[in-house]
Amino acid sequence: MKTPVPERFFSEAYTSIISSTASTDALTIATRALATMQQAAIHGYPHEICGLLIGTLGGTHWQITEARQVANLNRERASDRFHLDPAAYQQIDRELRGTTHEIIGVFHSHPDCPAMPSPTDIGHAWEGFLYPIISVYASEIAEISWWRLSENSKQFQLVTDNIS
């Protein structure tokens, strides 16, 4: 689906946070987890949705076994911002204690915008996490892109061609 890109995505504030070097990391995602992310984004449109990725991280390989939607607490700018519910994060983290799985990333949607990180996204990103962004236009998935922080944590790197 060819989608329009708002002018702000061409600004220095946006382009400066994207590394010109893609990540060589790999990821595997369970079909059910991917479907959960997509359905949440479609049902949440025209608002941003968010959630957590659950699985394992072995070196440079994320293995996502589950995705869980978490409430977006941002009510004032829900169309272009999310604030992941910290109580839900803590609850899921407690559930995973003693298992082989952990929280390994945060997903969110960009309604009517490309699946590219924003300056707001990098301001809230944690090192070692995977950040898929789901672009939704007119209640349809346009694309999903997968991002991680660069070694210096000042830019996002696209995780490409290693998705299985």
Side-chain angles (χ1 to χ4, degrees), residues 17 35 67 97 130 137 143 150-151 162:
I17 63 165
R97 288 185 191 151
L130 184 63
Y137 284 85
E143 68 175 320
S150 62
E151 295 298 321
N162 296 320

Side-chain angles (χ1 to χ4, degrees), residues 70-164:
V70 174
N72 177 359
L73 298 182
N74 189 328
R75 301 283 184 245
E76 295 159 5
R77 292 192 60 184
S79 65
D80 69 347
R81 297 278 189 277
F82 78 94
H83 179 152
L84 189 125
D85 182 356
Y89 182 101
Q90 292 172 346
Q91 175 62 37
I92 292 169
D93 189 49
R94 278 192 297 275
E95 287 175 27
L96 296 172
R97 288 185 191 151
T99 73
T100 59
H101 290 83
E102 62 185 328
I103 297 169
I104 59 171
V106 175
F107 69 90
H108 73 283
S109 64
H110 277 185
D112 299 321
C113 286
M116 296 169 50
S118 70
T120 301
D121 294 334
I122 202 160
H124 294 95
W126 294 353
E127 187 177 328
F129 267 31
L130 184 63
Y131 292 95
I133 300 174
I134 308 156
S135 173
V136 185
Y137 284 85
S139 296
E140 291 186 30
I141 302 297
E143 68 175 320
I144 300 175
S145 62
W146 306 81
W147 303 89
R148 67 176 297 278
L149 282 177
S150 62
E151 295 298 321
N152 66 10
S153 298
K154 294 182 180 182
Q155 292 182 309
F156 278 107
Q157 286 182 296
L158 185 63
V159 180
T160 62
D161 301 326
N162 296 320
I163 300 169
S164 56

